[in-house]
Amino acid sequence: MKKIPLTSVTSGLGIEILPDLYCLSVQIANVCFIGDPRQTNEFILIDAGMPDSAGLIIEEAKNRFGEDCKLISIILTHGHFDHIGALQELLEKWNVPVYAHSLEEPYLTGKENYPPPNKDIPGLVAKMSPLFPRHSIDVSSNLHILPPSGKLPSLPGWEYIHTPGHTPGHISLFRENDRVLIAGDAFTNVEQESLYEVLTQKQELHGPPAYFTTDWDAAWNSVKTLALLKPNVAICGHGLPIASSDLAAGLHLLARDFDKTEIPSDN
C-alpha cells in the first residue's frame, strides 16, 4: 500500500487527510477530527483513543482548531478500551453527546463486559491480550443511540454502516462524495497480532484484531460490505491512513480470501 506522503502533516502530530479530516495516532490506535479549521473552531471526534491520552487529544484539538475549540460530539466505532480510553476525561472537559450503535449500549452503560480474548491466536500481541482491559464503562448520561437510518447527527454527507463481527455494534463511517472511509476495526492496516508489525507500522490490509473478534462470519460480511464501497481513502483504527490507487483492489482481495487468510483455524 502506498503511504500518504509526510507533506500531508500540517501541524502537531497528526495527518491532515482532507481539509476537514485529520487523523491522530494515539499510541497504537487512531482518532479522527472532523471539521474544517479554516471555517470553524468546532469539530466532531471519532473514537477516543487509548487510556491516559486525553491530554494529547485536547492539545491536538487546540493546535488544529484554536484555544477556544469546541467539541460538538463523539462518535464511537465501538467500545473496546483502545477506542474509549480517554472518553470519560474528555467528557469532563466537554459535556457532549456520545453516539454509538444500539448493540454497543451494554458495554457503554456498565451492564456487560466484552468476552475474554482468544489468547491462542498466533502472535505476541495476541498472547498479551488477556492483560488488556475488557470491562465496560458507564457513560449513560451522555450516551445517545444512533438512528437506524444510517445518518450521523451533525455530520451531513456522512453515513454510518453497521459492520459487526469485531463487536456486535461496530460501525464504520463513509462519505460518498469523496469516497472516504473511517473503518474502525472492521479491518486494519497493520497486522495487529504481531508486535513487530505493530511497532514498524508496516502497511498491509488485514481483518479485525483477531484476539478480540467474536463473530468471524459477521466480520467477513462486513469486509465484503466495505469492499463494495470502493473507497479512495481509508482510515482504520490501527495503522497509517491509506491513500492508494490500489486500495479498492486490496479490499476486494481481502474480502475474497478472508476465510483463508484471516479467520483463525480454531473457528
Side-chain angles (χ1 to χ4, degrees):
M1 288 291 172
K2 177 184 175 184
K3 295 181 181 179
I4 294 176
L6 291 179
T7 51
S8 297
V9 179
T10 56
S11 68
L13 303 174
I15 298 175
E16 182 179 89
I17 311 303
L18 293 165
D20 66 345
L21 180 59
Y22 187 80
C23 176
L24 175 67
S25 178
V26 180
Q27 298 175 38
I28 62 167
N30 295 324
V31 302
C32 293
F33 300 81
I34 299 180
D36 189 339
R38 300 171 305 175
Q39 301 179 12
T40 181
N41 68 340
E42 298 180 347
F43 68 100
I44 290 172
L45 187 67
I46 312 301
D47 286 339
M50 291 283 286
D52 301 318
S53 65
L56 173 63
I57 293 171
I58 291 167
E59 189 62 29
E60 200 68 6
K62 291 179 179 179
N63 286 340
R64 183 157 177 81
F65 295 97
E67 286 289 330
D68 60 345
C69 61
K70 181 180 179 183
L71 179 63
I72 299 301
S73 64
I74 299 171
I75 299 171
L76 299 177
T77 61
H78 62 299
H80 278 158
F81 80 100
D82 50 342
H83 294 259
I84 54 88
L87 182 58
Q88 290 170 310
E89 291 173 88
L90 292 173
L91 292 176
E92 291 175 6
K93 178 173 177 60
W94 290 299
N95 186 22
V96 298
V98 175
Y99 292 96
H101 192 276
S102 60
L103 294 177
E104 290 297 286
E105 185 263 349
Y107 313 112
L108 299 170
T109 55
K111 295 177 181 176
E112 190 174 336
N113 294 330
Y114 284 108
N118 182 355
K119 64 179 179 9
D120 296 325
I121 290 170
L124 184 56
V125 177
K127 297 294 183 280
M128 296 165 56
S129 62
L131 302 174
F132 300 158
R134 59 182 181 86
H135 59 272
S136 64
I137 62 171
D138 188 356
V139 291
S140 304
S141 58
N142 293 81
L143 184 63
H144 294 251
I145 299 304
L146 287 165
S149 64
K151 301 299 182 184
L152 287 163
S154 305
L155 273 182
W158 289 86
E159 62 178 322
Y160 80 85
I161 301 159
H162 185 206
T163 47
H166 186 55
T167 70
H170 188 286
I171 63 166
S172 303
L173 284 66
F174 185 66
R175 187 163 63 183
E176 174 71 31
N177 66 356
D178 48 13
R179 313 199 73 76
V180 173
L181 174 66
I182 300 176
D185 281 357
F187 65 90
T188 61
N189 190 28
V190 64
E191 186 179 354
Q192 201 60 24
E193 295 73 40
S194 166
L195 183 60
Y196 176 79
E197 301 292 345
V198 168
L199 291 175
T200 60
Q201 292 290 287
K202 177 184 177 182
Q203 287 196 307
E204 189 175 80
L205 289 183
H206 286 280
Y211 41 86
F212 269 146
T213 297
T214 55
D215 186 335
W216 282 100
D217 287 337
W220 189 5
N221 285 329
S222 292
V223 171
K224 291 176 183 177
T225 297
L226 297 180
L228 290 174
L229 299 176
K230 298 181 179 179
N232 294 323
V233 177
I235 303 172
C236 302
H238 303 276
L240 291 168
I242 314 166
S244 170
S245 58
D246 62 353
L247 170 59
L251 263 180
H252 171 76
L253 291 176
L254 179 65
R256 186 194 70 184
D257 299 335
F258 194 89
D259 58 331
K260 303 179 186 68
T261 63
E262 307 303 319
I263 299 179
S265 58
D266 59 354
N267 279 263

